[in-house]
Each structure stands twice: as C-alpha cells, then as structure tokens.
C-alpha cells in the first residue's frame, strides 16, 4: 500500500528496524562490567567514551581472565553487529533529511543527509578502534586506538546531534508533537556539547536523549500527514 499522504513512512520502516536491532544489541553487549568510569552505568557507552589505559583495564578486569575473555567476546560481537546497525540508523537519518529538503524545497536539509554519511564513516572507524583495543587488551598496546577512539566517537555522536539541530527548524514549525521533537533535538545538541566539555553522567544523559529523539522521530514518520486534497 502506498501512503501518498504520509511522506515519511518509508523512513519510518527503516526506523522500526533500528528499534529491533537496538533491542537485540541490548542483549548482546555486556550489561555489567567489573568497573566503569565515574558517571557511567552503560558498559558500551562507557567503552566508547573511555579515555585512559587504566580505565580500559579496570573496565574489563585483570584478575579473572576467564571472565575478562567472556566480556571481550560479548563486546566484540556487539561491535561487529553494530556495523549493520549503523547502516540502518544512518539511512533512517538520511531519508528524513532528504524528505525534509524535498517537501520544503530547501536544500539546507541536505546538510543532514551529508552528516549522516559522515556519522556512518565515523561509527565504522570508531568500531575499528574498539575492536583494536580488545584485541590488544592482554598486551596493553592500544595507545593509538585509544587516541583515535576519542575523535571518531565524538564525530559520530556530535554528528548525530548536529543532524537533530539541522532538522530542528522543520519540526519546530509543525504541530505540537512536532515542536516537541524539535525542542528535544536542540536539547540533545546542548547536552552533547556539555558532555564533550565535561565527560561525566552527562554522557549517559546525552546518549539517552539521542535514543528518545530517535523514538520520537520514528513515531513522527508514521503520524505526519500532508493534505493531498489541497
């Protein structure tokens, strides 16, 4: 069935895949680690924003080798499946940006599509570093990966928040629900800036705001309608 009055519905279907894989990854990534940096409660978020070699070693534990290897295998599996996940959410963001540009006849929104491709590349390179760190966990030779991780992680997360900011004008001019999405997107960008300046619980709050934004946008894709009779 073709939804002529729901221009974002195709993006919405991609969004549903994003939700399904998000839930799947929750069961694959480790839910608990021996130690996490202060302010973090989610292992994969902590790993992406990890800063020092000591934090990495403490996170995976160094006393129980069997448990450490089990955590490494789970983390690696999640990060390998994440290559599929990053393609899904990047396509979702790209499709929304392109559709906003088409409907508004404003090329400005194509910036969101371009950023989606940057985010995809950064996420892929981020995972290369994460897998490199776990591969060298026993010998401790992952200084280069740790340095590169910081940049690729923030290009990814900052890029996603920037896409929300680019799309904010579209949402802010719409219905009450649409305005809520626009405000949430701007807030997410602000939280990201705060997390960048001071790594802390703010990183967890920022990542949560990104998740909320995705859910709101997916709902929007299925509820937004245009008047085809006009």
């Amino acid at each position: 069935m073709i939804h002529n009055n729901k221009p974002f519905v195709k993006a919405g279907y991609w969004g549903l895949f994003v939700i399904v894989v998000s839930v799947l990854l929750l069961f694959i990534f480790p839910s608990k680690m021996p130690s996490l940096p202060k302010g973090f409660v989610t292992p994969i978020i902590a790993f992406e924003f990890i800063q020092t070699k000591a934090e990495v070693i403490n996170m995976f534990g160094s006393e129980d080798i069997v448990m450490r290897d089990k955590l490494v295998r789970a983390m690696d599996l999640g990060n390998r499946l994440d290559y599929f996940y990053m393609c899904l959410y990047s396509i979702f963001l790209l499709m929304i940006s392109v559709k906003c540009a088409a409907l508004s006849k404003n090329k400005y929104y194509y910036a969101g599509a371009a950023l989606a491709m940057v985010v995809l590349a950064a996420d892929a390179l981020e995972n290369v570093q994460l897998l490199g760190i776990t591969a060298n966990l026993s010998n401790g030779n992952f200084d280069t990966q740790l340095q590169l991780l910081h940049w690729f992680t923030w290009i990814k997360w900052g890029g996603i928040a920037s896409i929300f900011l680019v799309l904010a004008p579209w949402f802010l001019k719409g219905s009450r629900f649409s305005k809520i999405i626009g405000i949430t997107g701007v807030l997410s960008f602000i939280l990201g800036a705060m997390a960048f300046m001071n790594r802390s619980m703010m990183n967890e709050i920022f990542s949560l705001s990104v998740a909320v934004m995705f859910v709101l946008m997916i709902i929007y894709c299925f509820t937004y309608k245009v008047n085809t009779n006009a």
Side-chain angles (χ1 to χ4, degrees):
M1 180 178 178
I2 300 175
H3 302 273
N4 292 324
N5 65 332
K6 292 185 177 181
F8 290 98
V9 74
K10 289 183 180 179
Y13 291 136
W14 283 93
L16 291 180
F17 285 124
V18 171
I19 291 178
V20 171
V21 179
S22 295
V23 173
L24 177 63
L25 288 174
L26 285 177
F27 291 97
I28 293 176
F29 280 119
S31 59
K32 292 183 179 180
M33 304 291 280
S35 176
L36 293 177
K38 184 178 179 180
F40 288 90
V41 295
T42 310
I44 182 56
I45 298 298
F47 194 22
E48 290 184 7
F49 289 105
I50 209 88
Q51 289 183 339
T52 68
K53 184 178 292 187
E55 287 180 343
V56 174
I57 294 173
N58 290 334
M59 181 175 173
F60 285 92
S62 57
E63 297 180 0
D64 190 337
I65 304 301
V66 175
M67 179 57 68
R68 186 190 69 184
D69 290 345
K70 182 179 179 181
L71 292 172
V72 167
R73 285 195 297 272
M75 193 69 79
D76 284 354
L77 177 59
N79 280 320
R80 290 192 176 100
L81 290 175
D82 188 48
Y83 282 104
F84 176 60
Y85 179 66
M86 67 181 72
C87 290
L88 290 178
Y89 79 72
S90 296
I91 291 173
F92 171 72
L93 293 172
L94 182 146
M95 289 182 73
I96 289 183
S97 299
V98 169
K99 185 57 68 173
C100 286
L103 293 173
S104 66
K105 295 181 174 56
N106 189 341
K107 294 182 179 180
Y108 158 79
Y109 293 107
Y110 284 123
L115 283 170
M117 293 298 94
V118 172
V119 166
L120 176 59
D123 201 347
L125 291 170
E126 174 196 59
N127 281 17
V128 170
Q129 312 316 314
L130 293 172
L131 291 168
I133 290 172
T134 53
N136 292 284
L137 191 60
S138 58
N139 59 43
N141 296 325
F142 51 82
D143 296 88
T144 299
Q145 288 90 344
L146 205 55
Q147 291 173 5
L148 291 173
L149 177 64
H150 172 77
W151 295 109
F152 291 133
T153 294
W154 272 111
I155 291 172
K156 179 192 79 171
W157 284 99
I160 292 173
S162 296
I163 293 172
F164 295 162
L165 196 63
V166 167
L167 296 176
W170 169 270
F171 291 116
L172 290 172
K173 70 179 181 180
S175 65
R176 181 178 299 178
F177 176 60
S178 182
K179 286 181 171 64
I180 290 174
I181 300 175
I183 293 170
T184 303
V186 173
L187 178 61
S188 182
F189 182 86
I190 293 172
L191 290 172
M194 294 171 66
F196 179 77
M197 291 184 288
N198 180 27
R199 193 195 69 163
S200 60
M201 175 60 76
M202 191 58 64
N203 293 68
E204 290 275 358
I205 297 173
F206 168 48
S207 66
L208 179 60
S209 75
V210 170
V212 169
M213 186 65 178
F214 267 94
V215 172
L216 292 176
M217 290 171 68
I218 291 168
I219 295 172
Y220 178 87
C221 287
F222 290 104
T223 57
Y224 176 80
K225 295 181 180 180
V226 293
N227 186 1
T228 55
N229 296 321

